[in-house]
Amino acid sequence: MSAPASNLTIDADRLWSTIIETAHFGGTEKGGVRRLTLSEEDRQVRDWFRAACEAAGCTVSVDGLGNMFALRPGKDMTKPPLGIGSHLDTQPTGGKFDGILGVMAALEVVRTLNDAGIETEAPICVCNWTNEEGSRFAPAMMGSAGYVADLPVSDILARTDAEGISVGAALDAIGYRGTEEVGARKFSGFLELHIEQGPILEAEGLPIGVVEHGQGIIWYDGRISGFESHTGSTPMHLRKDALAALSEIVLAIEALAKAHGPNAVGSVGEAVIARPSRNVIPGEIAFSGEFRTPDAAILDALDKALQTQVKEIAARRRVDIRLDTIWRKEPTHFDPAMTGAIAAAADRLGLPHRPIVSGAGHDSFHLATVVPTAMIFVPCKDGVSHNELESAKPEECAAGANVLLHAVLAVAGGGA
Amino acid sequence: MSAPASNLTIDADRLWSTIIETAHFGGTEKGGVRRLTLSEEDRQVRDWFRAACEAAGCTVSVDGLGNMFALRPGKDMTKPPLGIGSHLDTQPTGGKFDGILGVMAALEVVRTLNDAGIETEAPICVCNWTNEEGSRFAPAMMGSAGYVADLPVSDILARTDAEGISVGAALDAIGYRGTEEVGARKFSGFLELHIEQGPILEAEGLPIGVVEHGQGIIWYDGRISGFESHTGSTPMHLRKDALAALSEIVLAIEALAKAHGPNAVGSVGEAVIARPSRNVIPGEIAFSGEFRTPDAAILDALDKALQTQVKEIAARRRVDIRLDTIWRKEPTHFDPAMTGAIAAAADRLGLPHRPIVSGAGHDSFHLATVVPTAMIFVPCKDGVSHNELESAKPEECAAGANVLLHAVLAVAGGGA
């Protein structure tokens, strides 16, 4: 690798303008974005992205799942390119930054290198992964899952939305079922800039998070069966109160996560009482629960402890409790050389940073299974994401893009 | 009072036949009854009841709220009659016994006295109170509420059902807006036989409960406002989890009720998470809660303790909690002479009994505010009520009716 152009910075105004300009594709009245994957709005932003990349001298190709790759040549074209990017689809009531910042910052890196006349050693490839959000088609991170062969392409193409439209048909409808074989595009590494979608950086006043791990996740579906009876005429000792049992489970999950801190988290997100009534003791409740931690051994310990406590609660309260593990994802550990390059880039720019764990899932989790990968986080207002109120400041976006620029220069080899 | 006819018993088969026969008016496929107040099915059972009472020598009158009074003359017609009875309306998916047993047993007492040629000193009046259930028109116990002037008659007549039909119009539609002034019918006392609607008698193997108190009730509506955030990216110490706060409240209500046992009860019956999602920390929850106890001082203490604990939970968890008292009903204390007559009747019949508290509301709670009143409970299967599965055995119904018979003889004065 050659010495980086140490005082180079991206054009913060241009980056911000592309974010604001493209937010019109699916823009909502509240200032958010509704751009479901493979929708007409997604086609519009994809067309914009293709044209912008081509205008920046890149060659754009599309694979069989609609994943888009904009290649900027390097000095040594025998080297696989360094992938940078994220996704352009949003939640049904999403914001302007989730995924979008990562793609636009990657484009801005290319434009900055162009303006400075810098040719990197390895090529650079700006990526837009299909259906990261998973709102229209399940699962989330679908395009990168197909890319790393975590799911068969044929399986993905057959998935349908709520209206019965398949991924394949939706790709055809917007003209984005490409000819490139899925997974054929090889990278030497991958870097993704993303808003944190959490409150830690903002709370600590830090502009940069170096994402070292992705949480392992265990998801539960639960059902408590007690006995519905009259709240007035059933003595306390004869009750089989499903809500009281759930309450103990909620607090047990919370206490277990806290006891395995600081990075373990756990919660119950959904709980529905069957036939609720003010004067009927809840007899049946369905709920969902989860634990997340970057440590697989802790994930095991949390699961085991919860199962034990649930058995005890069920026996003591004489209720039936089913607790089924419906999904388990092992923790992601990003590449130390890549996280090191990010930290060094931030240091070079004088931007304070901290190591951080990604609680949400990202395409980089899939990429990390095949190439050295890492992520950069920047703060977002109040940690809010997946919401039209999602917000980040121009200078926060620029700081992240500058770290991405210098990490790219370090990893891909920045020459004058 | 003259000496009772100590070996007299009701006709258990006849009582059971009337219960089964009248269950056809609104009978459901599952063996329950759907007989909403002032419906066509209610008219049918009212017509049956009027004809049966007249056939038993009673004079039937109807007041302006449809409350029905079947008077059996006594030796001393200057004495106000002893009221006995309950209600014939049911829940939308109700059972064959709730209310109905009390009316049919009262009719059976009259028939038994007729067969035995017994004329009581005071007259007896078999009552069918309008809209005890409160399912079609709110509030429950409406007819007896009007009778004791707890609610103005004009107010009651104007109440409407979900289709906008008023009580007055519904009374007219089935021909049961009577001419008797509401409240003009005076009683010397009131006795009501009812299924327990709870599990205590069955659990203890006792055929008779002597209802000494009706629970005082406090009803709450609550709302917890935390903050919705991503379950994966929000560290435990930055969460404002509304469901965890609710869980503490549920367990606090349970613990407080247990600490004020054995007659205090408390629970949360409803809890609805706004915008629930598996990977979103619950930010807002609406819930209902209640305490019941036959002791007004304990009701005060429970309320005060809960309010204190809720404040502590809100402060510690940095969530907002509103807890509004939407209803408070003071405890009912039944007349000791009346409960004594019931206990003595059970003793005379060799039926084991215990004092019991009524957790559910009954017309007798209203009657108790104007005349000496008490209630008799008999077991019901699994304590289930307000359900098509509601069940009581013929011998259990007969035992209750026999206790009612002998209490009537004692209170009204049974002569040969």
Side-chain angles (χ1 to χ4, degrees):
Chain A
M1 296 178 193
S2 59
S6 64
N7 59 352
L8 193 65
T9 56
I10 59 100
D11 183 332
D13 292 338
R14 182 170 57 190
L15 171 62
W16 188 253
S17 295
T18 63
I19 291 171
I20 300 306
E21 179 183 348
T22 60
H24 290 121
F25 302 122
T28 66
E29 285 185 10
K30 291 186 184 170
V33 178
R34 176 187 171 83
R35 196 158 67 211
L36 296 176
T37 192
L38 308 184
S39 64
E40 170 58 20
E41 294 76 21
D42 191 22
R43 183 194 64 73
Q44 292 168 3
V45 80
R46 284 168 176 266
D47 288 353
W48 181 96
F49 173 68
R50 183 205 295 265
C53 290
E54 287 174 350
C58 297
T59 306
V60 177
S61 63
V62 181
D63 75 9
L65 288 174
N67 295 316
M68 299 177 71
F69 305 111
L71 187 72
R72 180 179 192 265
K75 285 182 187 166
D76 183 353
M77 291 302 286
T78 67
K79 289 183 174 168
L82 172 63
I84 54 176
S86 189
H87 61 95
L88 291 173
D89 67 318
T90 77
Q91 291 279 324
T93 51
K96 290 190 287 286
F97 303 92
D98 177 357
I100 298 157
L101 172 62
V103 178
M104 296 308 162
L107 171 61
E108 178 57 33
V109 165
V110 168
R111 289 173 165 176
T112 300
L113 294 176
N114 289 350
D115 292 348
I118 295 174
E119 189 176 15
T120 52
E121 286 293 317
I124 295 169
C125 183
V126 180
C127 304
N128 170 34
W129 299 102
T130 296
N131 188 26
E132 194 272 350
E133 294 292 358
S135 318
R136 180 177 176 192
F137 300 101
M141 298 170 274
M142 182 181 269
S144 56
Y147 172 82
V148 302
D150 188 56
L151 283 176
V153 172
S154 56
D155 175 1
I156 292 175
L157 289 170
R159 299 290 177 110
T160 54
D161 66 9
E163 293 174 2
I165 300 169
S166 70
V167 169
L171 283 165
D172 291 335
I174 64 165
Y176 272 90
R177 194 204 293 245
T179 53
E180 186 168 300
E181 184 188 349
V182 177
R185 171 68 50 141
K186 300 301 179 194
F187 298 111
S188 56
F190 191 78
L191 289 170
E192 181 173 8
L193 169 64
H194 208 282
I195 55 170
E196 179 193 345
Q197 301 180 279
I200 297 172
L201 295 176
E202 183 182 56
E204 299 184 4
L206 293 172
I208 299 294
V210 181
V211 188
E212 296 190 341
H213 307 279
Q215 298 276 45
I217 305 176
I218 190 162
W219 271 1
Y220 302 103
D221 271 356
R223 179 170 291 276
I224 305 172
S225 300
F227 192 78
E228 283 176 11
S229 52
H230 194 293
T231 57
S233 52
T234 313
M236 298 307 288
H237 70 285
L238 294 178
R239 295 178 175 215
K240 297 179 179 181
D241 185 333
L243 182 58
L246 175 71
S247 297
E248 290 199 48
I249 293 172
V250 169
L251 297 174
I253 288 176
E254 182 183 56
L256 283 169
K258 283 184 177 174
H260 290 80
N263 286 325
V265 293
S267 55
V268 170
E270 300 164 297
V272 177
I273 301 170
R275 300 169 295 279
S277 170
R278 180 183 292 281
N279 54 5
V280 174
I281 296 161
E284 196 163 347
I285 297 181
F287 67 98
S288 66
E290 64 160 54
F291 285 118
R292 304 192 189 208
T293 159
D295 184 320
I298 290 180
L299 201 58
D300 286 338
L302 289 166
D303 180 40
K304 191 174 169 189
L306 179 62
Q307 298 283 2
T308 301
Q309 291 195 27
V310 162
K311 279 194 186 67
E312 188 278 322
I313 293 166
R316 174 165 41 79
R317 289 188 174 271
R318 295 166 298 119
V319 298
D320 290 323
I321 308 180
R322 278 191 55 179
L323 187 70
D324 298 328
T325 300
I326 60 163
W327 186 49
R328 179 179 167 125
K329 193 190 85 57
E330 295 308 314
T332 295
H333 302 290
F334 287 125
D335 184 76
M338 297 295 265
T339 57
I342 292 169
D347 286 338
R348 191 176 306 129
L349 293 159
L351 294 167
H353 57 89
R354 61 163 282 171
I356 197 165
V357 172
S358 173
H362 295 286
D363 292 313
S364 284
F365 288 22
H366 283 139
L367 274 296
T369 65
V370 294
V371 290
T373 298
M375 296 185 71
I376 304 157
F377 273 179
V378 292
C380 55
K381 187 168 184 300
D382 300 326
V384 171
S385 180
H386 288 192
N387 192 306
E388 292 163 284
L389 299 177
E390 181 182 281
S391 183
K393 294 175 190 158
E395 60 270 28
E396 291 169 333
C397 296
N402 277 320
V403 172
L404 178 66
L405 170 67
H406 285 272
V408 165
L409 287 168
V411 175
Chain B
M1 298 180 194
S2 59
S6 63
N7 59 351
L8 194 64
T9 57
I10 59 96
D11 183 334
D13 291 339
R14 182 170 58 191
L15 171 62
W16 189 252
S17 296
T18 63
I19 291 171
I20 300 305
E21 180 184 346
T22 59
H24 290 121
F25 302 122
T28 66
E29 286 185 8
K30 290 185 182 170
V33 178
R34 177 186 170 84
R35 198 157 65 209
L36 295 176
T37 192
L38 308 184
S39 64
E40 170 58 20
E41 294 77 19
D42 192 22
R43 183 194 64 73
Q44 291 168 4
V45 79
R46 284 168 176 266
D47 288 353
W48 182 97
F49 173 68
R50 183 205 295 266
C53 290
E54 288 175 348
C58 296
T59 305
V60 178
S61 63
V62 181
D63 75 10
L65 288 174
N67 294 317
M68 299 177 71
F69 304 111
L71 187 70
R72 180 180 193 264
K75 284 181 185 166
D76 183 353
M77 292 302 286
T78 65
K79 290 185 175 168
L82 172 63
I84 54 176
S86 189
H87 61 96
L88 291 173
D89 69 319
T90 77
Q91 292 277 325
T93 51
K96 290 190 289 284
F97 302 93
D98 177 357
I100 298 157
L101 172 63
V103 179
M104 296 308 163
L107 172 62
E108 179 57 35
V109 165
V110 168
R111 288 171 165 178
T112 299
L113 295 176
N114 288 350
D115 292 348
I118 293 174
E119 189 177 15
T120 52
E121 286 291 319
I124 296 169
C125 184
V126 180
C127 303
N128 170 33
W129 300 102
T130 294
N131 188 25
E132 194 274 347
E133 295 291 358
S135 318
R136 180 177 174 191
F137 300 102
M141 300 171 273
M142 181 181 270
S144 55
Y147 173 82
V148 303
D150 188 54
L151 284 175
V153 172
S154 58
D155 175 2
I156 293 174
L157 289 171
R159 300 288 177 111
T160 54
D161 66 10
E163 295 174 1
I165 300 170
S166 70
V167 169
L171 283 165
D172 291 336
I174 64 164
Y176 272 90
R177 193 203 293 244
T179 53
E180 188 168 299
E181 184 188 349
V182 175
R185 170 69 48 141
K186 299 301 180 192
F187 297 112
S188 56
F190 190 78
L191 290 170
E192 181 174 8
L193 170 64
H194 207 282
I195 56 170
E196 179 194 344
Q197 301 180 278
I200 298 173
L201 295 176
E202 184 182 54
E204 300 184 2
L206 293 172
I208 299 294
V210 181
V211 187
E212 296 189 342
H213 306 280
Q215 299 276 46
I217 305 176
I218 191 161
W219 271 0
Y220 302 103
D221 271 357
R223 179 170 292 275
I224 305 171
S225 299
F227 191 76
E228 283 176 12
S229 53
H230 195 293
T231 56
S233 52
T234 313
M236 297 307 289
H237 71 283
L238 293 178
R239 295 177 174 216
K240 298 180 178 180
D241 185 334
L243 182 58
L246 175 71
S247 296
E248 289 200 49
I249 293 172
V250 168
L251 296 174
I253 288 176
E254 182 183 57
L256 285 168
K258 283 183 177 174
H260 290 81
N263 287 325
V265 292
S267 54
V268 170
E270 300 163 298
V272 178
I273 301 170
R275 301 170 294 279
S277 170
R278 178 183 294 282
N279 54 5
V280 175
I281 294 162
E284 195 162 350
I285 298 182
F287 67 98
S288 66
E290 63 160 57
F291 284 119
R292 303 192 190 208
T293 160
D295 184 320
I298 290 181
L299 200 58
D300 287 337
L302 288 167
D303 180 39
K304 192 175 170 189
L306 180 62
Q307 298 283 4
T308 301
Q309 291 196 27
V310 161
K311 278 194 185 67
E312 187 278 323
I313 292 166
R316 173 165 41 80
R317 289 187 173 271
R318 295 165 297 121
V319 298
D320 290 323
I321 308 180
R322 278 191 55 178
L323 187 69
D324 299 328
T325 300
I326 60 163
W327 185 48
R328 180 180 166 125
K329 192 191 85 61
E330 294 308 314
T332 295
H333 302 290
F334 287 125
D335 184 77
M338 298 294 266
T339 56
I342 291 168
D347 286 337
R348 193 176 305 129
L349 292 159
L351 295 167
H353 57 90
R354 61 162 281 172
I356 197 164
V357 172
S358 174
H362 296 285
D363 292 312
S364 285
F365 288 23
H366 283 140
L367 272 297
T369 64
V370 295
V371 290
T373 298
M375 294 184 72
I376 306 158
F377 272 178
V378 292
C380 56
K381 188 168 182 303
D382 300 326
V384 172
S385 181
H386 289 192
N387 191 305
E388 292 163 284
L389 298 177
E390 181 182 281
S391 183
K393 294 176 191 159
E395 59 270 27
E396 291 169 333
C397 295
N402 276 320
V403 171
L404 177 64
L405 170 67
H406 285 274
V408 165
L409 287 168
V411 175

